[in-house]
Structures are given as C-alpha cells and as structure tokens.
PDB file of all heavy atoms in Angstrom:
ATOM      1  N   SER A   1       6.941  16.605  23.794  1.00 97.00           N
ATOM      2  CA  SER A   1       6.594  15.299  23.098  1.00 97.00           C
ATOM      3  C   SER A   1       7.555  14.190  23.510  1.00 97.00           C
ATOM      4  O   SER A   1       8.809  14.386  23.402  1.00 97.00           O
ATOM      5  CB  SER A   1       6.427  15.463  21.493  1.00 97.00           C
ATOM      6  OG  SER A   1       5.443  16.355  21.257  1.00 97.00           O
ATOM      7  N   LEU A   2       7.077  13.053  23.819  1.00 97.00           N
ATOM      8  CA  LEU A   2       7.952  11.846  24.127  1.00 97.00           C
ATOM      9  C   LEU A   2       7.460  10.637  23.302  1.00 97.00           C
ATOM     10  O   LEU A   2       6.357  10.483  23.158  1.00 97.00           O
ATOM     11  CB  LEU A   2       7.823  11.595  25.623  1.00 97.00           C
ATOM     12  CG  LEU A   2       8.113  12.775  26.637  1.00 97.00           C
ATOM     13  CD1 LEU A   2       7.695  12.275  28.033  1.00 97.00           C
ATOM     14  CD2 LEU A   2       9.545  13.028  26.539  1.00 97.00           C
ATOM     15  N   GLY A   3       8.358   9.764  22.910  1.00 97.00           N
ATOM     16  CA  GLY A   3       8.170   8.592  22.179  1.00 97.00           C
ATOM     17  C   GLY A   3       9.124   7.500  22.421  1.00 97.00           C
ATOM     18  O   GLY A   3      10.306   7.793  22.605  1.00 97.00           O
ATOM     19  N   LEU A   4       8.689   6.265  22.519  1.00 98.00           N
ATOM     20  CA  LEU A   4       9.514   5.080  22.610  1.00 98.00           C
ATOM     21  C   LEU A   4       9.119   4.021  21.585  1.00 98.00           C
ATOM     22  O   LEU A   4       7.888   3.655  21.715  1.00 98.00           O
ATOM     23  CB  LEU A   4       9.528   4.558  24.084  1.00 98.00           C
ATOM     24  CG  LEU A   4      10.507   3.411  24.345  1.00 98.00           C
ATOM     25  CD1 LEU A   4      11.921   4.023  24.294  1.00 98.00           C
ATOM     26  CD2 LEU A   4      10.208   3.011  25.742  1.00 98.00           C
ATOM     27  N   THR A   5       9.946   3.463  20.795  1.00 97.00           N
ATOM     28  CA  THR A   5       9.669   2.522  19.833  1.00 97.00           C
ATOM     29  C   THR A   5      10.541   1.344  19.923  1.00 97.00           C
ATOM     30  O   THR A   5      11.762   1.388  20.088  1.00 97.00           O
ATOM     31  CB  THR A   5       9.730   2.980  18.411  1.00 97.00           C
ATOM     32  OG1 THR A   5       8.980   4.296  18.251  1.00 97.00           O
ATOM     33  CG2 THR A   5       9.267   2.197  17.310  1.00 97.00           C
ATOM     34  N   TYR A   6       9.833   0.118  19.873  1.00 98.00           N
ATOM     35  CA  TYR A   6      10.716  -1.109  19.816  1.00 98.00           C
ATOM     36  C   TYR A   6      10.304  -1.930  18.587  1.00 98.00           C
ATOM     37  O   TYR A   6       9.216  -2.022  18.147  1.00 98.00           O
ATOM     38  CB  TYR A   6      10.272  -2.014  21.055  1.00 98.00           C
ATOM     39  CG  TYR A   6      10.914  -3.380  21.097  1.00 98.00           C
ATOM     40  CD1 TYR A   6      12.293  -3.492  21.294  1.00 98.00           C
ATOM     41  CD2 TYR A   6      10.356  -4.513  20.713  1.00 98.00           C
ATOM     42  CE1 TYR A   6      13.009  -4.652  21.309  1.00 98.00           C
ATOM     43  CE2 TYR A   6      10.983  -5.756  20.738  1.00 98.00           C
ATOM     44  CZ  TYR A   6      12.282  -5.962  20.988  1.00 98.00           C
ATOM     45  OH  TYR A   6      12.882  -7.036  20.992  1.00 98.00           O
ATOM     46  N   SER A   7      11.452  -2.157  17.811  1.00 97.00           N
ATOM     47  CA  SER A   7      11.348  -2.853  16.560  1.00 97.00           C
ATOM     48  C   SER A   7      11.922  -4.294  16.550  1.00 97.00           C
ATOM     49  O   SER A   7      13.080  -4.337  17.034  1.00 97.00           O
ATOM     50  CB  SER A   7      11.876  -2.099  15.491  1.00 97.00           C
ATOM     51  OG  SER A   7      11.213  -0.893  15.076  1.00 97.00           O
ATOM     52  N   LYS A   8      11.200  -5.241  16.449  1.00 97.00           N
ATOM     53  CA  LYS A   8      11.777  -6.690  16.289  1.00 97.00           C
ATOM     54  C   LYS A   8      11.735  -7.122  15.004  1.00 97.00           C
ATOM     55  O   LYS A   8      10.806  -7.098  14.232  1.00 97.00           O
ATOM     56  CB  LYS A   8      10.837  -7.629  17.266  1.00 97.00           C
ATOM     57  CG  LYS A   8      11.322  -9.071  17.189  1.00 97.00           C
ATOM     58  CD  LYS A   8      10.518  -9.857  18.145  1.00 97.00           C
ATOM     59  CE  LYS A   8      10.962 -11.370  18.212  1.00 97.00           C
ATOM     60  NZ  LYS A   8      12.409 -11.421  18.515  1.00 97.00           N
ATOM     61  N   PHE A   9      12.830  -7.798  14.392  1.00 95.00           N
ATOM     62  CA  PHE A   9      13.162  -8.210  13.264  1.00 95.00           C
ATOM     63  C   PHE A   9      13.306  -9.691  13.116  1.00 95.00           C
ATOM     64  O   PHE A   9      13.981 -10.395  13.971  1.00 95.00           O
ATOM     65  CB  PHE A   9      14.388  -7.625  12.567  1.00 95.00           C
ATOM     66  CG  PHE A   9      14.354  -6.076  12.461  1.00 95.00           C
ATOM     67  CD1 PHE A   9      14.804  -5.339  13.436  1.00 95.00           C
ATOM     68  CD2 PHE A   9      13.773  -5.551  11.314  1.00 95.00           C
ATOM     69  CE1 PHE A   9      14.672  -3.938  13.400  1.00 95.00           C
ATOM     70  CE2 PHE A   9      13.801  -4.207  11.223  1.00 95.00           C
ATOM     71  CZ  PHE A   9      14.218  -3.416  12.266  1.00 95.00           C
ATOM     72  N   GLY A  10      12.612 -10.297  12.140  1.00 94.00           N
ATOM     73  CA  GLY A  10      12.739 -11.699  11.975  1.00 94.00           C
ATOM     74  C   GLY A  10      13.998 -11.979  11.238  1.00 94.00           C
ATOM     75  O   GLY A  10      14.715 -11.160  10.856  1.00 94.00           O
ATOM     76  N   GLU A  11      14.279 -13.368  10.974  1.00 94.00           N
ATOM     77  CA  GLU A  11      15.488 -13.735  10.301  1.00 94.00           C
ATOM     78  C   GLU A  11      15.511 -13.463   8.923  1.00 94.00           C
ATOM     79  O   GLU A  11      14.562 -13.772   8.138  1.00 94.00           O
ATOM     80  CB  GLU A  11      15.712 -15.240  10.559  1.00 94.00           C
ATOM     81  CG  GLU A  11      16.054 -15.554  12.031  1.00 94.00           C
ATOM     82  CD  GLU A  11      16.344 -16.957  12.236  1.00 94.00           C
ATOM     83  OE1 GLU A  11      15.811 -17.804  11.412  1.00 94.00           O
ATOM     84  OE2 GLU A  11      17.015 -17.327  13.331  1.00 94.00           O
ATOM     85  N   ASP A  12      16.600 -12.788   8.462  1.00 94.00           N
ATOM     86  CA  ASP A  12      16.743 -12.576   7.003  1.00 94.00           C
ATOM     87  C   ASP A  12      17.308 -13.885   6.264  1.00 94.00           C
ATOM     88  O   ASP A  12      18.176 -14.583   6.986  1.00 94.00           O
ATOM     89  CB  ASP A  12      17.690 -11.445   6.687  1.00 94.00           C
ATOM     90  CG  ASP A  12      17.051 -10.164   7.133  1.00 94.00           C
ATOM     91  OD1 ASP A  12      15.801  -9.919   7.189  1.00 94.00           O
ATOM     92  OD2 ASP A  12      17.815  -9.144   7.586  1.00 94.00           O
ATOM     93  N   ASN A  13      16.989 -14.065   5.007  1.00 93.00           N
ATOM     94  CA  ASN A  13      17.512 -15.261   4.395  1.00 93.00           C
ATOM     95  C   ASN A  13      18.179 -14.795   3.093  1.00 93.00           C
ATOM     96  O   ASN A  13      17.500 -14.341   2.097  1.00 93.00           O
ATOM     97  CB  ASN A  13      16.450 -16.294   4.129  1.00 93.00           C
ATOM     98  CG  ASN A  13      16.937 -17.633   3.360  1.00 93.00           C
ATOM     99  OD1 ASN A  13      17.965 -17.640   2.770  1.00 93.00           O
ATOM    100  ND2 ASN A  13      16.219 -18.661   3.675  1.00 93.00           N
ATOM    101  N   ALA A  14      19.538 -14.916   3.009  1.00 90.00           N
ATOM    102  CA  ALA A  14      20.340 -14.530   1.816  1.00 90.00           C
ATOM    103  C   ALA A  14      20.834 -15.724   1.151  1.00 90.00           C
ATOM    104  O   ALA A  14      21.998 -16.252   1.600  1.00 90.00           O
ATOM    105  CB  ALA A  14      21.449 -13.570   2.246  1.00 90.00           C
ATOM    106  N   GLY A  15      20.086 -16.149   0.227  1.00 87.00           N
ATOM    107  CA  GLY A  15      20.544 -17.412  -0.525  1.00 87.00           C
ATOM    108  C   GLY A  15      20.896 -18.605   0.279  1.00 87.00           C
ATOM    109  O   GLY A  15      21.762 -19.402   0.010  1.00 87.00           O
ATOM    110  N   GLY A  16      20.032 -18.847   1.375  1.00 88.00           N
ATOM    111  CA  GLY A  16      20.237 -19.921   2.187  1.00 88.00           C
ATOM    112  C   GLY A  16      20.964 -19.601   3.521  1.00 88.00           C
ATOM    113  O   GLY A  16      20.997 -20.412   4.374  1.00 88.00           O
ATOM    114  N   SER A  17      21.639 -18.511   3.577  1.00 89.00           N
ATOM    115  CA  SER A  17      22.351 -18.027   4.739  1.00 89.00           C
ATOM    116  C   SER A  17      21.356 -17.260   5.639  1.00 89.00           C
ATOM    117  O   SER A  17      20.855 -16.257   5.199  1.00 89.00           O
ATOM    118  CB  SER A  17      23.649 -17.179   4.443  1.00 89.00           C
ATOM    119  OG  SER A  17      24.540 -18.003   3.545  1.00 89.00           O
ATOM    120  N   ILE A  18      21.221 -17.625   6.860  1.00 90.00           N
ATOM    121  CA  ILE A  18      20.316 -17.103   7.797  1.00 90.00           C
ATOM    122  C   ILE A  18      20.962 -16.134   8.680  1.00 90.00           C
ATOM    123  O   ILE A  18      21.930 -16.497   9.422  1.00 90.00           O
ATOM    124  CB  ILE A  18      19.596 -18.086   8.633  1.00 90.00           C
ATOM    125  CG1 ILE A  18      18.835 -19.198   7.596  1.00 90.00           C
ATOM    126  CG2 ILE A  18      18.413 -17.398   9.468  1.00 90.00           C
ATOM    127  CD1 ILE A  18      17.819 -18.558   6.647  1.00 90.00           C
ATOM    128  N   TYR A  19      20.584 -14.908   8.799  1.00 89.00           N
ATOM    129  CA  TYR A  19      21.205 -13.874   9.679  1.00 89.00           C
ATOM    130  C   TYR A  19      20.150 -12.992  10.330  1.00 89.00           C
ATOM    131  O   TYR A  19      19.062 -12.979   9.784  1.00 89.00           O
ATOM    132  CB  TYR A  19      22.297 -13.146   9.101  1.00 89.00           C
ATOM    133  CG  TYR A  19      21.923 -12.359   7.956  1.00 89.00           C
ATOM    134  CD1 TYR A  19      21.795 -10.903   8.261  1.00 89.00           C
ATOM    135  CD2 TYR A  19      21.721 -12.642   6.620  1.00 89.00           C
ATOM    136  CE1 TYR A  19      21.446  -9.949   7.220  1.00 89.00           C
ATOM    137  CE2 TYR A  19      21.429 -11.890   5.643  1.00 89.00           C
ATOM    138  CZ  TYR A  19      21.188 -10.408   5.941  1.00 89.00           C
ATOM    139  OH  TYR A  19      20.848  -9.557   4.978  1.00 89.00           O
ATOM    140  N   ASN A  20      20.551 -12.222  11.336  1.00 91.00           N
ATOM    141  CA  ASN A  20      19.665 -11.238  12.010  1.00 91.00           C
ATOM    142  C   ASN A  20      20.359  -9.961  12.221  1.00 91.00           C
ATOM    143  O   ASN A  20      21.562 -10.038  12.684  1.00 91.00           O
ATOM    144  CB  ASN A  20      19.098 -11.758  13.279  1.00 91.00           C
ATOM    145  CG  ASN A  20      18.152 -11.005  13.901  1.00 91.00           C
ATOM    146  OD1 ASN A  20      18.389 -10.000  14.530  1.00 91.00           O
ATOM    147  ND2 ASN A  20      16.830 -11.365  13.618  1.00 91.00           N
ATOM    148  N   THR A  21      19.766  -8.909  11.860  1.00 90.00           N
ATOM    149  CA  THR A  21      20.458  -7.531  12.097  1.00 90.00           C
ATOM    150  C   THR A  21      20.314  -6.974  13.396  1.00 90.00           C
ATOM    151  O   THR A  21      20.913  -5.910  13.756  1.00 90.00           O
ATOM    152  CB  THR A  21      19.907  -6.560  10.999  1.00 90.00           C
ATOM    153  OG1 THR A  21      18.467  -6.457  11.217  1.00 90.00           O
ATOM    154  CG2 THR A  21      20.122  -6.974   9.555  1.00 90.00           C
ATOM    155  N   GLY A  22      19.562  -7.571  14.292  1.00 94.00           N
ATOM    156  CA  GLY A  22      19.518  -7.122  15.645  1.00 94.00           C
ATOM    157  C   GLY A  22      18.221  -6.167  15.728  1.00 94.00           C
ATOM    158  O   GLY A  22      17.821  -5.448  14.924  1.00 94.00           O
ATOM    159  N   ASN A  23      17.441  -6.388  16.878  1.00 96.00           N
ATOM    160  CA  ASN A  23      16.230  -5.584  17.244  1.00 96.00           C
ATOM    161  C   ASN A  23      16.704  -4.150  17.631  1.00 96.00           C
ATOM    162  O   ASN A  23      17.839  -3.813  18.003  1.00 96.00           O
ATOM    163  CB  ASN A  23      15.446  -6.193  18.358  1.00 96.00           C
ATOM    164  CG  ASN A  23      15.029  -7.546  17.963  1.00 96.00           C
ATOM    165  OD1 ASN A  23      14.816  -7.910  16.846  1.00 96.00           O
ATOM    166  ND2 ASN A  23      14.899  -8.468  18.868  1.00 96.00           N
ATOM    167  N   ARG A  24      15.715  -3.181  17.601  1.00 97.00           N
ATOM    168  CA  ARG A  24      16.074  -1.719  17.874  1.00 97.00           C
ATOM    169  C   ARG A  24      15.143  -1.154  19.004  1.00 97.00           C
ATOM    170  O   ARG A  24      13.935  -1.535  19.061  1.00 97.00           O
ATOM    171  CB  ARG A  24      15.883  -0.945  16.625  1.00 97.00           C
ATOM    172  CG  ARG A  24      17.079  -0.779  15.701  1.00 97.00           C
ATOM    173  CD  ARG A  24      17.122  -2.095  14.808  1.00 97.00           C
ATOM    174  NE  ARG A  24      17.959  -1.931  13.622  1.00 97.00           N
ATOM    175  CZ  ARG A  24      18.297  -2.990  12.838  1.00 97.00           C
ATOM    176  NH1 ARG A  24      17.761  -4.102  13.026  1.00 97.00           N
ATOM    177  NH2 ARG A  24      19.143  -2.817  11.883  1.00 97.00           N
ATOM    178  N   LEU A  25      15.708  -0.282  19.711  1.00 98.00           N
ATOM    179  CA  LEU A  25      14.924   0.411  20.641  1.00 98.00           C
ATOM    180  C   LEU A  25      15.315   2.011  20.406  1.00 98.00           C
ATOM    181  O   LEU A  25      16.428   2.470  20.318  1.00 98.00           O
ATOM    182  CB  LEU A  25      15.342   0.128  22.025  1.00 98.00           C
ATOM    183  CG  LEU A  25      14.532   0.909  23.123  1.00 98.00           C
ATOM    184  CD1 LEU A  25      13.044   0.361  23.135  1.00 98.00           C
ATOM    185  CD2 LEU A  25      15.083   0.502  24.541  1.00 98.00           C
ATOM    186  N   ILE A  26      14.218   2.763  20.005  1.00 98.00           N
ATOM    187  CA  ILE A  26      14.292   4.160  19.704  1.00 98.00           C
ATOM    188  C   ILE A  26      13.653   5.133  20.591  1.00 98.00           C
ATOM    189  O   ILE A  26      12.386   4.853  20.823  1.00 98.00           O
ATOM    190  CB  ILE A  26      13.768   4.394  18.269  1.00 98.00           C
ATOM    191  CG1 ILE A  26      14.486   3.345  17.230  1.00 98.00           C
ATOM    192  CG2 ILE A  26      14.101   5.767  17.845  1.00 98.00           C
ATOM    193  CD1 ILE A  26      13.739   3.406  15.912  1.00 98.00           C
ATOM    194  N   ALA A  27      14.358   5.955  21.238  1.00 98.00           N
ATOM    195  CA  ALA A  27      13.745   6.920  22.010  1.00 98.00           C
ATOM    196  C   ALA A  27      13.907   8.294  21.508  1.00 98.00           C
ATOM    197  O   ALA A  27      14.810   8.593  20.959  1.00 98.00           O
ATOM    198  CB  ALA A  27      14.412   6.921  23.562  1.00 98.00           C
ATOM    199  N   GLN A  28      12.691   9.103  21.532  1.00 97.00           N
ATOM    200  CA  GLN A  28      12.679  10.314  21.054  1.00 97.00           C
ATOM    201  C   GLN A  28      12.008  11.236  21.836  1.00 97.00           C
ATOM    202  O   GLN A  28      11.128  10.974  22.672  1.00 97.00           O
ATOM    203  CB  GLN A  28      11.908  10.304  19.805  1.00 97.00           C
ATOM    204  CG  GLN A  28      12.413   9.421  18.637  1.00 97.00           C
ATOM    205  CD  GLN A  28      11.312   9.128  17.509  1.00 97.00           C
ATOM    206  OE1 GLN A  28      10.445   8.328  17.857  1.00 97.00           O
ATOM    207  NE2 GLN A  28      11.510   9.825  16.347  1.00 97.00           N
ATOM    208  N   THR A  29      12.398  12.646  21.929  1.00 97.00           N
ATOM    209  CA  THR A  29      11.838  13.735  22.713  1.00 97.00           C
ATOM    210  C   THR A  29      11.894  15.029  21.880  1.00 97.00           C
ATOM    211  O   THR A  29      12.978  15.262  21.252  1.00 97.00           O
ATOM    212  CB  THR A  29      12.350  13.663  24.162  1.00 97.00           C
ATOM    213  OG1 THR A  29      11.756  14.708  24.928  1.00 97.00           O
ATOM    214  CG2 THR A  29      13.888  14.133  24.000  1.00 97.00           C
ATOM    215  N   SER A  30      11.005  15.895  22.175  1.00 97.00           N
ATOM    216  CA  SER A  30      11.185  17.282  21.585  1.00 97.00           C
ATOM    217  C   SER A  30      10.338  18.205  22.437  1.00 97.00           C
ATOM    218  O   SER A  30       9.352  17.884  23.060  1.00 97.00           O
ATOM    219  CB  SER A  30      10.665  17.323  20.176  1.00 97.00           C
ATOM    220  OG  SER A  30       9.144  17.099  20.144  1.00 97.00           O
ATOM    221  N   ILE A  31      10.915  19.403  22.594  1.00 97.00           N
ATOM    222  CA  ILE A  31      10.312  20.461  23.357  1.00 97.00           C
ATOM    223  C   ILE A  31      10.256  21.726  22.404  1.00 97.00           C
ATOM    224  O   ILE A  31      11.260  22.130  21.906  1.00 97.00           O
ATOM    225  CB  ILE A  31      11.155  20.780  24.535  1.00 97.00           C
ATOM    226  CG1 ILE A  31      11.194  19.655  25.502  1.00 97.00           C
ATOM    227  CG2 ILE A  31      10.505  22.022  25.386  1.00 97.00           C
ATOM    228  CD1 ILE A  31      12.124  19.749  26.764  1.00 97.00           C
ATOM    229  N   THR A  32       9.134  22.315  22.361  1.00 97.00           N
ATOM    230  CA  THR A  32       8.985  23.526  21.543  1.00 97.00           C
ATOM    231  C   THR A  32       8.468  24.668  22.542  1.00 97.00           C
ATOM    232  O   THR A  32       7.543  24.328  23.377  1.00 97.00           O
ATOM    233  CB  THR A  32       8.090  23.462  20.412  1.00 97.00           C
ATOM    234  OG1 THR A  32       6.720  23.065  20.791  1.00 97.00           O
ATOM    235  CG2 THR A  32       8.594  22.438  19.364  1.00 97.00           C
TER     236      THR A  32
END
C-alpha cells in the first residue's frame, strides 16, 4: 500500500495576530 497526502492550511487568527503553521506533505507505505 502506498499513500501521499498534501494538507494546505489557511491563516490562523489569534486575537488579531495572524500566523500560519505551514503546509504538510505526508508519505506513507506498508507491506504485509
């Protein structure tokens, strides 16, 4: 099994302070 996931995050707003935690790329594989 093989998998690839891309996650994109919008801007977070903490009491008027805008920040971004960064997008993610996740690769997965398994063999049984």
Side-chain angles (χ1 to χ4, degrees):
S1 298
L2 304 168
L4 186 66
T5 304
Y6 178 72
S7 294
K8 180 176 177 57
F9 296 89
E11 293 181 336
D12 297 329
N13 186 331
S17 296
I18 306 299
Y19 67 99
N20 186 281
T21 57
N23 300 327
R24 277 80 166 172
L25 184 64
I26 306 169
Q28 300 165 285
T29 184
S30 67
I31 299 173
T32 60

